[in-house]
Structure formats: C-alpha cells, structure tokens
Amino acid sequence: MSTALPERDGHTAVVTLDRREGPYGEVVLRQRGRDYEIIANGCFLMDTADGRSERLLIQAALDELDRTGGAEGPSVLIGGLGVGFSLAYAAAEPRWGRIAVVERETAIIEWHRGGPLGAFSGGALEDARVEVLHTDLLEYLAAADGERYDALCLDIDNGPDWTVTESNDGLYGADGLAVLWHRLREGGVLAVWSAQPSPAFEEALRAAGFSDVVTHEIPVSRGVPDVVHLARRAG
C-alpha cells in the first residue's frame, strides 16, 4: 500500500492508503480521521463510521428464521465483504452454521487479510465456519449446480436504486430476483441492504414470488435512512 499526502476535507485529513485498477474499475481505500472508506469508480460505497445497518442485515435474517422455526445451524451467504461489519457480526453468532461471503475485489480481501480493515472483520476470516468466495456474486449465483442457503444477506453496491457498477443492476431486476429465489431453501430469507428506501423494490420482491416483505429503516446522521429489505421464499 502507498500513503499519499493528506487532502483536506473540512477539518479532517483524508489520506489515500491504496488505489487499484481492476476488472470492474478503480477501487480506493481512504482514511478519514479514525475511519476508513471504500470508494469505487469515484463513488463512495461505505465506511467504518457506523455499522448498525450492516449488522441489522444479518440479525434481521436470523430473527426471521427463528420466528418461523428455521433449521438448526442455518447457512448464510453474505454478498459483499465490504468493511467487514456483516461478516464479523455473523461470525460472532454461534447459531449460524456455514457462513459464506462472496467478494469479487481482490483489493478488499487483501485489505482485510493483511491491512487495516482486518480490525473490523475481527478475525472472522479465520473462523472454521467461514469461507471467502473470491468471485462475482452474479456469476456465483447463476451457476446451475449452485448451493442453496437458509439466508442470503446482500450488501451490493448502494442498493436497488443506485448502483455504481452497471452490471449490478441485474441483481435487483426480475431475472436476478428469480435467481435469488432459487438459491434459497424453502422458507429461506432474503435480506438486502440499501442506501435508501425503495418501494419499487418491495413490489419487485412480491412480483418475484417472495412473501413477508418488510423494510427496516436505520436513521443516519444526515440524509435519508439506510434500510434493510427483508423477504421470504415461501415455497
């Protein structure tokens, strides 16, 4: 990693720690005071300032499985490693069985394995239940012989209505939702993080055959709330 001279953003120095060009564009790791930020193709994706919504993504899925008497030791697929909040939260919960996390960006995985983001994934990558799948989520989900999960917890891009990478749009459309439905076991739960509420996505979930569609809002310091969309594969 290389350290650049700090930029000034208000009264906080912003330091670029790493900048890489990959198959999906540029990805950057920056430090702003005590917090770290991931920037993709010039657009802010996430930071370490507040992980409440990323943790709710996992907790809401587990609560929904518990509510209807789900399988013991349920499996979960986390879409996107990000800054590690969701993975760390899942690994801290002994009720989860298999925990798979899909991350396509080599840089992000390396920032966790040997870089500053390892403090936020909290050693979860060493948990025996955890497997990191270094691949594109859409490609992984589309595999004909793909594994089914009790829960799919997706934190991809900025959510259904605002994607930085154009190919991620397909995840939230009818074809993508059909793939997600088939990758869930019967009674399985889909949880989707979004940077803003999306009534249109709620309707898309119902149209794709999901039931029990609800949206949890998490207030943030400025702007519209983060949300977690929750839905179930009924049969």
Side-chain angles (χ1 to χ4, degrees), residues 37-53:
E37 303 173 337
I38 297 176
I39 311 296
N41 295 321
C43 184
F44 173 86
L45 279 185
M46 61 192 69
D47 63 19
T48 60
D50 184 354
R52 286 178 298 163
S53 58

Side-chain angles (χ1 to χ4, degrees), residues 134-188:
H134 184 195
T135 184
D136 180 77
L137 179 64
L138 289 171
E139 294 178 5
Y140 175 76
L141 292 171
D145 57 348
E147 180 179 355
R148 288 188 174 184
Y149 294 87
D150 296 295
L152 301 176
C153 296
L154 307 184
D155 184 358
I156 299 298
D157 223 307
N158 283 310
D161 292 343
W162 178 24
T163 53
V164 176
T165 304
E166 185 176 349
S167 61
N168 287 333
D169 291 344
L171 181 65
Y172 302 114
D175 291 343
L177 292 178
V179 170
L180 294 174
W181 192 91
H182 285 289
R183 278 304 196 106
L184 283 169
R185 294 180 177 141
E186 186 174 343

Side-chain angles (χ1 to χ4, degrees), residues 15 31 49 56 71 76 88 105 113 127 144 165 171 186 198 204 211-212:
V15 179
Q31 184 173 3
L56 178 62
V76 58
E105 295 288 354
R113 291 202 183 279
D127 190 305
T165 304
L171 181 65
E186 186 174 343
S198 178
S211 64
D212 302 335

Side-chain angles (χ1 to χ4, degrees), residues 44-227:
F44 173 86
L45 279 185
M46 61 192 69
D47 63 19
T48 60
D50 184 354
R52 286 178 298 163
S53 58
E54 290 91 340
R55 297 182 184 103
L56 178 62
L57 181 73
I58 304 299
Q59 189 63 52
L62 185 58
D63 288 347
E64 183 65 15
L65 289 172
D66 286 346
R67 184 181 70 83
T68 55
E72 184 177 350
S75 59
V76 58
L77 174 70
I78 301 172
L81 175 55
V83 297
F85 286 136
S86 294
L87 175 60
Y89 196 76
E93 173 52 71
R95 286 180 291 169
W96 288 115
R98 168 167 165 74
I99 303 170
V101 56
V102 175
E103 178 54 60
R104 70 184 188 180
E105 295 288 354
T106 301
I108 291 178
I109 296 173
E110 292 180 356
W111 294 337
H112 281 275
R113 291 202 183 279
L117 295 186
F120 300 93
S121 47
L125 296 183
E126 307 307 318
D127 190 305
R129 298 169 296 164
V130 172
E131 180 181 9
V132 178
L133 304 172
H134 184 195
T135 184
D136 180 77
L137 179 64
L138 289 171
E139 294 178 5
Y140 175 76
L141 292 171
D145 57 348
E147 180 179 355
R148 288 188 174 184
Y149 294 87
D150 296 295
L152 301 176
C153 296
L154 307 184
D155 184 358
I156 299 298
D157 223 307
N158 283 310
D161 292 343
W162 178 24
T163 53
V164 176
T165 304
E166 185 176 349
S167 61
N168 287 333
D169 291 344
L171 181 65
Y172 302 114
D175 291 343
L177 292 178
V179 170
L180 294 174
W181 192 91
H182 285 289
R183 278 304 196 106
L184 283 169
R185 294 180 177 141
E186 186 174 343
V189 173
L190 173 66
V192 177
W193 184 93
S194 178
Q196 58 190 17
S198 178
F201 185 62
E202 292 180 2
E203 291 305 312
L205 286 167
R206 294 185 181 97
F210 287 94
S211 64
D212 302 335
V213 177
V214 296
T215 298
H216 297 283
E217 294 191 357
I218 306 94
V220 296
S221 57
R222 291 182 295 177
V224 298
D226 293 342
V227 305

